[in-house]
């Protein structure tokens, strides 16, 4: 169930997973690895800053320089 009181500029875990093209478990792993930070919500229904998610999505699309 998605949060009803989502602050502007924030995304739910489900929305974040959809935008990144990953599973909810992968979103949790990104948080554990320090690649994404929660910015509100509750422990069971975290929110993520839309700007942070967009930056991570852009970073993941860019091929690594070798």
């Amino acid at each position: 169930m998605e949060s009803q009181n989502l602050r502007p500029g924030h995304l739910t875990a489900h929305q974040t997973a959809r935008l990144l093209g990953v599973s909810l478990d992968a979103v949790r792993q990104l948080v554990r690895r320090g690649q994404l930070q929660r910015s509100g919500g509750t422990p069971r229904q975290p929110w993520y800053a839309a700007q942070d998610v967009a930056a991570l999505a852009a970073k993941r699309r860019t091929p690594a320089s070798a």
Side-chain angles (χ1 to χ4, degrees):
M1 177 175 206
E2 302 217 8
S3 177
Q4 298 291 325
N5 298 320
L6 189 63
R7 290 187 309 208
H10 289 80
L11 301 168
T12 65
H14 288 276
Q15 292 168 330
T16 298
R18 243 180 275 132
L19 282 171
L20 294 175
V22 299
S23 67
L24 286 173
D25 187 52
V27 172
R28 287 188 284 272
Q29 291 297 327
L30 289 168
V31 171
R32 284 188 192 114
R33 293 180 184 137
Q35 295 176 329
L36 184 62
Q37 195 168 10
R38 294 177 180 162
S39 66
T42 66
R44 291 188 69 142
Q45 293 182 337
W47 300 341
Y48 302 94
Q51 193 172 17
D52 292 347
V53 175
L56 181 59
K59 182 179 175 183
R60 291 170 59 95
R61 280 192 297 262
T62 305
S65 302

